[in-house]
Amino acid sequence: MRFLVRDRLLSFGDDYWIENDQGDKVFLVDGKAIRLRDTFELKDTRGRVLIDIRQKMLALRDTMVIERDGEPLATVRRKRLSLLRNHYRVSLADGRTELDVSGKILDREFAVEYDGELLAVISRRWLRVRETYGVDVVRDDADPALLIAVTVCVIHLAEKERGVG
């Protein structure tokens, strides 16, 4: 499954649609600008909130929390000691599962893996539309909403760290 994200709209407080590869709107990312901490909601086309994304307030390093139906789903933070490229660790709520996100986050060229197996590729390379990148969910049994939420988190954290956006 491939999803398209219009990058120029990806700024805090803005809402933007994520489309499938046929151009149909699939998810709405609703940025909440009037909050103490950075907050986003991932909604379906009917306006139902599928996932809440919030900045964790009391953390030593920037951390985003992903929740579904008020229950923690995952925590996203920059991996310590990642000198050569952006590297983020996603800890799922079960406490045993970790996803690895690495690549050139600000260039929108990175991957999400679980235990060395590719789950999603985020890239601008195969798209001709300027200011757009794709989220290509590779595994059929992967949760697209979670992978899109992880993508939103790591891009937001990387831009915040670099002072972009």
Side-chain angles (χ1 to χ4, degrees):
M1 291 177 278
R2 185 173 288 171
F3 301 94
L4 306 176
V5 183
R6 306 260 183 258
D7 204 23
R8 62 185 157 77
L9 298 177
L10 187 62
S11 63
F12 179 64
D14 286 342
D15 301 345
Y16 57 95
W17 281 98
I18 296 174
E19 301 171 350
N20 63 19
D21 53 359
Q22 284 86 40
D24 300 322
K25 293 177 179 176
V26 180
F27 299 110
L28 174 68
V29 178
D30 185 0
K32 303 296 182 182
I34 309 175
R35 302 279 170 96
L36 225 44
R37 56 187 172 180
D38 298 346
T39 304
F40 303 92
E41 291 177 340
L42 184 65
K43 298 179 177 180
D44 66 12
T45 55
R46 294 186 192 128
R48 283 185 312 145
V49 175
L50 303 173
I51 290 183
D52 289 299
I53 305 167
R54 292 185 182 84
Q55 177 185 5
K56 194 169 183 177
M57 290 301 284
L58 301 172
L60 293 175
R61 40 192 172 133
D62 282 341
T63 303
M64 301 290 288
V65 177
I66 300 171
E67 297 177 344
R68 180 177 280 150
D69 298 325
E71 297 294 321
L73 188 59
T75 303
V76 181
R77 65 176 52 95
R78 184 174 171 87
K79 186 177 177 183
R80 293 182 196 137
L81 305 174
S82 60
L83 303 174
L84 298 177
R85 58 189 195 164
N86 293 127
H87 205 122
Y88 290 82
R89 178 80 60 214
V90 180
S91 302
L92 298 186
D94 67 11
R96 295 171 291 147
T97 308
E98 287 193 343
L99 306 181
D100 188 53
V101 181
S102 63
K104 298 177 180 178
I105 307 295
L106 294 176
D107 291 337
R108 309 307 189 254
E109 297 293 336
F110 58 97
V112 180
E113 297 179 339
Y114 167 67
D115 202 23
E117 186 176 343
L118 190 63
L119 296 178
V121 175
I122 292 73
S123 180
R124 282 194 166 125
R125 268 185 254 148
W126 16 266
L127 298 173
R128 296 186 182 174
V129 181
R130 281 190 62 177
E131 306 297 334
T132 301
Y133 63 92
V135 177
D136 193 9
V137 178
V138 178
R139 287 194 36 174
D140 291 336
D141 62 342
D143 180 349
L146 173 61
L147 292 172
I148 288 171
V150 166
T151 301
V152 168
C153 287
V154 297
I155 289 172
H156 181 73
L157 289 170
E159 287 181 344
K160 193 172 178 184
E161 182 179 319
R162 293 271 196 256
V164 180

